[in-house]
């Protein structure tokens, strides 16, 4: 009987597969945490520059602002027609932030109020906006990043579990120990 040599053993093959899977998981964690820290960096930069961050959750401002965009909002002294503003209105007893364009001004009860409309809407908003309701003017936006921020905000417990798993995974592979001891 002739026994032919096998170029690699079953254990070597499994070891290689395990290494490829491990590397793939490491890359996924890296990309995921890169997104998370990038968003935290954007939030901090926005805060330091006097801006607030909001999310566009409707289609009312398309095509100018896509649904799911991350909005940067800054307060101004005066608002003019054509400005895209973020403002609060009551919706079913709860305050809701809306992003629409100023299309006019009116005087009601001695106060100046703003007439607003979403770019994708056919008609103006039914309510008139008082200056006190306005958060600020939209100074910039990043399309679709609002979805990521909203996910992080709504799933903070899940993210803590992912962080814990990442740290334990790094510790098991010896990479975390190497990184800390450097």
């Amino acid at each position: 009987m002739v026994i032919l040599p096998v170029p690699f053993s079953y254990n070597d093959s499994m070891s290689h597969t395990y290494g490829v899977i491990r590397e793939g998981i490491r890359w996924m964690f890296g990309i995921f945490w890169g997104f998370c820290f990038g968003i935290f960096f954007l939030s901090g930069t926005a805060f330091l520059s006097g801006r607030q961050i909001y999310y566009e959750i409707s289609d009312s401002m398309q095509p100018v602002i896509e649904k799911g965009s991350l909005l940067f909002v800054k307060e101004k002294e005066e608002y003019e027609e054509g400005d895209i503003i973020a403002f609060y209105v009551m919706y079913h007893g709860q305050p809701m932030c809306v992003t629409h364009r100023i299309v006019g001004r009116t005087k009601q009860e001695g106060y100046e109020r703003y007439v607003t409309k979403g770019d994708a809407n056919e008609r103006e908003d039914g309510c008139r906006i008082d200056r006190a309701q306005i958060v600020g003017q939209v100074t910039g936006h990043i399309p679709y990043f609002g979805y990521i921020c909203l996910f992080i905000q709504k799933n903070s417990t899940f993210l803590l579990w992912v962080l814990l798993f990442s740290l334990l995974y790094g510790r098991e592979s010896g990479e975390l120990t190497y990184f800390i001891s450097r």
Side-chain angles (χ1 to χ4, degrees):
M1 174 159 94
V2 177
I3 299 175
L4 297 174
V6 178
F8 58 88
S9 71
Y10 178 75
N11 288 338
D12 288 341
S13 173
M14 290 302 290
S15 172
H16 175 71
T17 303
Y18 179 70
V20 169
I21 291 171
R22 177 192 226 92
E23 189 68 20
I25 290 172
R26 207 174 84 189
W27 270 95
M28 287 188 323
F29 278 136
I31 291 169
F32 177 76
W33 288 116
F35 267 118
C36 289
F37 290 122
I39 288 170
F40 289 130
F41 177 77
L42 276 175
S43 299
T45 304
F47 175 76
L48 292 174
S49 66
R51 288 169 174 74
Q52 298 177 36
I53 292 181
Y54 290 89
Y55 321 120
E56 180 62 36
I57 58 171
S58 76
D59 295 328
S60 66
M61 286 303 294
Q62 285 190 347
V64 177
I65 299 174
E66 297 288 327
K67 181 178 181 179
S69 292
L70 184 69
L71 306 175
F72 299 98
V73 178
K74 185 169 183 156
E75 191 174 357
K76 284 177 45 178
E77 291 293 324
E78 284 293 319
Y79 299 97
E80 303 169 5
E81 284 188 36
D83 287 348
I84 299 174
I85 59 169
F87 57 92
Y88 280 99
V89 294
M90 294 303 284
Y91 183 74
H92 295 291
Q94 297 288 337
M96 182 175 88
C97 190
V98 178
T99 305
H100 281 174
R101 187 181 302 276
I102 297 175
V103 294
R105 295 178 183 197
T106 62
K107 288 260 186 188
Q108 281 182 325
E109 302 167 6
Y111 295 103
E112 183 174 54
R113 299 192 185 253
Y114 297 94
V115 180
T116 57
K117 176 184 171 293
D119 288 358
N121 298 347
E122 293 181 11
R123 51 193 165 125
E124 299 170 348
D125 298 336
C127 60
R128 301 299 180 240
I129 307 303
D130 189 84
R131 173 68 177 91
Q133 293 173 271
I134 299 176
V135 176
Q137 179 182 3
V138 176
T139 58
H141 70 281
I142 302 175
Y144 308 114
F145 257 68
Y147 288 129
I148 299 168
C149 292
L150 197 58
F151 175 80
I152 290 170
Q153 184 179 8
K154 299 281 183 190
N155 298 295
S156 57
T157 304
F158 169 74
L159 292 175
L160 287 174
W161 281 108
V162 170
L163 176 63
L164 180 64
F165 180 74
S166 312
L167 291 173
L168 291 175
Y169 183 79
R171 185 168 187 265
E172 174 213 322
S173 66
E175 295 166 5
L176 184 64
T177 308
Y178 175 74
F179 179 72
I180 292 173
S181 65
R182 284 173 101 188

